[in-house]
Amino acid sequence: MDDYLVCNDEVVKIGKFSKAYWFDVQNPRSPRFDPSVPDRIYISQRVVRYWHREIVLWIESKRKVKANER
């Protein structure tokens, strides 16, 4: 799998969830906070990216957990 950097909008498209959810799981003060979310990569003070491979693996791990809960 090739690895490249993706922005927040691309993460939301890949994961098929809302921006609100994505920002909630990253916020330590949110009840939805998930410490397993991949680390941010700061390109500049205002530009954040994530490794595509890490995002895909994180999303797959969440889907497996949901499937096992059923």
Side-chain angles (χ1 to χ4, degrees):
M1 176 187 311
D2 289 337
D3 209 6
Y4 53 92
L5 297 173
V6 294
C7 65
N8 284 312
D9 289 341
E10 292 175 56
V11 171
V12 169
K13 284 181 187 176
I14 294 166
K16 299 178 184 165
F17 41 70
S18 70
K19 278 188 180 182
Y21 173 80
W22 177 236
F23 289 113
D24 263 358
V25 296
Q26 296 179 80
N27 182 355
R29 290 183 238 151
S30 168
R32 291 196 214 178
F33 176 66
D34 182 351
S36 69
V37 169
D39 291 333
R40 297 173 182 154
I41 298 167
Y42 286 90
I43 305 300
S44 70
Q45 286 184 340
R46 296 176 54 184
V47 178
V48 176
R49 298 290 186 264
Y50 305 86
W51 286 112
H52 178 264
R53 183 179 58 79
E54 291 180 6
I55 293 297
V56 170
L57 292 173
W58 177 75
I59 291 168
E60 287 175 356
S61 74
K62 295 299 156 192
R63 290 191 174 141
K64 286 179 186 174
V65 168
K66 278 191 174 185
N68 290 335
E69 290 176 356
R70 293 181 189 168

